[in-house]
Amino acid sequence: MLEGLRRSLRLALARGPRRWQPAPRSQCAGSWPRRLLSRPAARRVPPPLSAAPRSRSLPMASPTRAAAALARQDCNNGCSPECTGEAGSKEVVGTFKAKDLMITPATILKEKPDPSSLVFGTVFTDHMLTVEWSSEFGWEKPCIRPLQNLSLHPGSSAFHYAVELFEGLKAFRGVDNKIRLFRPNLNMDRMHRSAVRATLPVFDKEELLECIEQLVKLDQEWVPYSTSASLYIRPTFIGTEPSLGVKKPTKALLFVILSPVGPYFSSGTFKPVSLWANPKNYGSSLFAQCEAADHGCQQVLWLYGEDNQITEVGTMNLFLYWINEDGEEELATPPLDGIILPGVTRQSILDLAHKWGEFKVSERYLTMYDLTTALEGNRVREMFGSGTACVVCPVSDILYKGETIHIPTMENGPKLASRILDKLTDIQYGKEESDWTIIVS
């Protein structure tokens, strides 16, 4: 099979790729044909992962492991020399600048929804940010235009090889009516790293952030007047080259859309969730999420390895507050070893806990055996998830190997999870001044 794939790739290389004529350079005020891009990006792929979007930023996924190996051997097929290692598409013809931002305001503005009735990610604001890139011309000028559908060639690399990534951050309307972003520099850092891994062109992180701030300012009335809702910001980056060759794209599109949101889980804010843990399902997230729902659970707890290491939840990083094997009070979370998403909220919780200095804080491996043994010894105090979407979410039960394991999070307070949530939301909504926020308006 491998030899057959190898011969097929060499034959394709010998023939050479067909050259598509570049499309005319677009003007910001122009109208795009209304065709919806509807592609849910996979939440989990086998390691190693890029530092990706809960914000889930995702690396390029090769069709098969054999094809990926052959593609690495024939890396000159449209790739730069760096693509054999951690580095991806580091070359870039200039970068877009926020000062060149062109704005085409929407002529018809939509009615703003009631913050108390928002369903996460289903309502979108009036405008979007777009920036196009090609290897021939480099970055185009950034544009803010009315929200509209995308028109993409059906051969675009985002469709066929998952050359795409996304981020997630939020804008909050504070008690002082000022609009704030929460640690957006960490999202820009992560998106930049993911672009390199996904062989997408790099960009100036500060310039992108400034463009996002301008987008939020324009749609600032969409930031809910509520301390239980916010404006979700979704930067997305996709390969758009119309080619079926497995290579880094010569065309790409970066765009940002906004969505006012309430609590991520339908159960509401700070309601405990149940997790479905199954070692066989370390793969495509949507299928496993459906299985979790079939088992009466809200989310998937991903396990890895023969010892069933606890990694993370489908939409959250995971924390365990317990008395460890050495009798120490400890807040533990799995380490960033290429499997775990480097969440912004995760990092913020670690930073807060280190600053408090009241208990041991560890990034360490945890297994299901560690958890069940600790539960038998009455050493587990709380388990909770963290993420931009949910902020902090208690865990009450885990369905594992056909048995429901109860986590006594709610019975034990949950003092720590509540304290962390209160601290983070106080900062996000301006009740407490912090250098973790940027005031937009």
Side-chain angles (χ1 to χ4, degrees):
M1 178 180 176
L2 285 176
E3 186 57 31
L5 286 171
R6 190 187 307 275
R7 286 197 299 270
S8 297
L9 279 176
R10 286 174 177 168
L11 180 59
L13 288 173
R15 290 174 176 170
R18 291 189 177 184
R19 180 172 180 83
W20 287 81
Q21 292 298 320
R25 300 175 75 178
S26 62
Q27 297 298 318
C28 182
S31 176
W32 291 357
R34 293 188 174 273
R35 175 169 180 170
L36 178 65
L37 168 65
S38 177
R39 177 185 176 84
R43 175 66 182 91
R44 167 65 69 184
V45 296
L49 288 178
S50 71
R54 199 102 12 226
S55 53
R56 302 291 180 256
S57 298
L58 299 175
M60 173 178 173
S62 298
T64 66
R65 185 172 298 177
L70 293 176
R72 285 194 293 271
Q73 294 176 18
D74 293 310
C75 195
N76 59 335
N77 184 20
C79 294
S80 64
E82 293 93 342
C83 77
T84 54
E86 284 294 304
S89 178
K90 287 191 174 181
E91 74 280 10
V92 62
V93 183
T95 186
F96 59 88
K97 300 288 186 180
K99 65 179 179 62
D100 297 327
L101 185 64
M102 297 185 290
I103 300 177
T104 304
T107 56
I108 300 176
L109 302 181
K110 294 176 288 188
E111 184 179 353
K112 311 301 184 294
D114 182 350
S116 64
S117 61
L118 289 169
V119 177
F120 196 97
T122 59
V123 178
F124 298 93
T125 68
D126 295 310
H127 298 91
M128 66 189 299
L129 169 71
T130 63
V131 200
E132 295 185 62
W133 176 89
S134 69
S135 59
E136 183 175 3
F137 298 112
W139 284 103
E140 303 284 351
K141 291 182 179 180
C143 302
I144 291 178
R145 65 182 80 207
L147 181 75
Q148 54 195 271
N149 295 343
L150 303 180
S151 177
L152 296 177
H153 190 283
S156 294
S157 49
F159 294 140
H160 299 274
Y161 307 112
V163 184
E164 55 190 345
L165 60 90
F166 64 86
E167 268 293 328
L169 59 156
K170 285 181 177 179
F172 304 86
R173 187 177 296 277
V175 293
D176 54 1
N177 203 35
K178 293 180 180 179
I179 297 173
R180 293 172 172 83
L181 302 180
F182 181 75
R183 307 190 83 173
N185 57 302
L186 297 185
N187 294 96
M188 297 298 99
D189 290 342
R190 188 171 62 185
M191 186 170 180
H192 191 275
R193 293 195 302 268
S194 296
V196 172
R197 291 293 301 277
T199 70
L200 288 165
V202 294
F203 51 87
D204 188 299
K205 295 176 284 187
E206 293 182 1
E207 298 294 338
L208 175 56
L209 180 55
E210 175 60 28
C211 289
I212 291 174
E213 290 182 36
Q214 293 301 318
L215 177 62
V216 173
K217 283 182 183 179
L218 184 60
D219 278 347
Q220 62 182 287
E221 284 304 307
W222 284 89
V223 183
Y225 287 80
S226 169
T227 54
S228 60
S230 55
L231 184 69
Y232 189 78
I233 304 169
R234 171 52 64 86
T236 308
F237 203 4
I238 62 175
T240 57
E241 180 182 357
S243 172
L244 299 183
V246 183
K247 60 180 180 178
K248 89 180 169 187
T250 60
K251 290 185 179 181
L253 173 66
L254 192 161
F255 63 92
V256 183
I257 55 178
L258 309 175
S259 175
V261 298
Y264 181 79
F265 295 109
S266 59
S267 57
T269 302
F270 207 68
K271 299 289 185 179
V273 297
S274 57
L275 308 178
W276 182 60
N278 193 318
K280 73 174 184 180
N281 275 310
Y282 202 84
S284 178
S285 65
L286 295 180
F287 180 77
Q289 178 60 35
C290 291
E291 285 193 290
D294 290 341
H295 286 84
C297 300
Q298 286 111 321
Q299 285 287 306
V300 180
L301 171 59
W302 296 104
L303 304 179
Y304 178 68
E306 294 181 359
D307 55 351
N308 288 336
Q309 291 176 25
I310 295 171
T311 61
E312 59 182 358
V313 180
T315 58
M316 306 182 292
N317 290 116
L318 202 62
F319 284 86
L320 176 64
Y321 181 45
W322 67 333
I323 304 299
N324 66 19
E325 308 92 327
D326 300 322
E328 302 168 301
E329 184 180 355
E330 180 183 46
L331 178 64
T333 191
L336 302 180
D337 60 356
I339 292 177
I340 304 301
L341 181 82
V344 173
T345 310
R346 173 189 182 276
Q347 186 59 53
S348 301
I349 292 173
L350 291 174
D351 291 342
L352 287 175
H354 280 298
K355 182 180 179 180
W356 291 337
E358 299 172 11
F359 42 79
K360 185 176 182 178
V361 181
S362 302
E363 296 179 65
R364 53 168 290 185
Y365 292 104
L366 299 165
T367 66
M368 286 301 297
Y369 175 79
D370 295 330
L371 177 61
T372 54
T373 301
L375 285 168
E376 291 171 0
N378 199 30
R379 293 188 284 113
V380 174
R381 295 186 176 179
E382 301 174 29
M383 177 178 277
F384 54 88
S386 70
T388 296
C390 70
V391 190
V392 176
C393 181
V395 174
S396 59
D397 297 284
I398 298 175
L399 182 59
Y400 177 61
K401 293 184 177 180
E403 296 184 7
T404 298
I405 301 172
H406 181 65
I407 312 297
T409 304
M410 303 308 290
E411 292 88 333
N412 290 332
K415 297 179 181 178
L416 182 58
S418 299
R419 180 184 178 187
I420 291 171
L421 177 63
D422 290 343
K423 183 70 172 180
L424 291 177
T425 54
D426 282 352
I427 292 173
Q428 291 168 342
Y429 289 99
K431 296 179 182 178
E432 179 179 328
E433 291 297 323
S434 172
D435 58 6
W436 282 359
T437 61
I438 294 176
I439 297 178
V440 174
S441 177

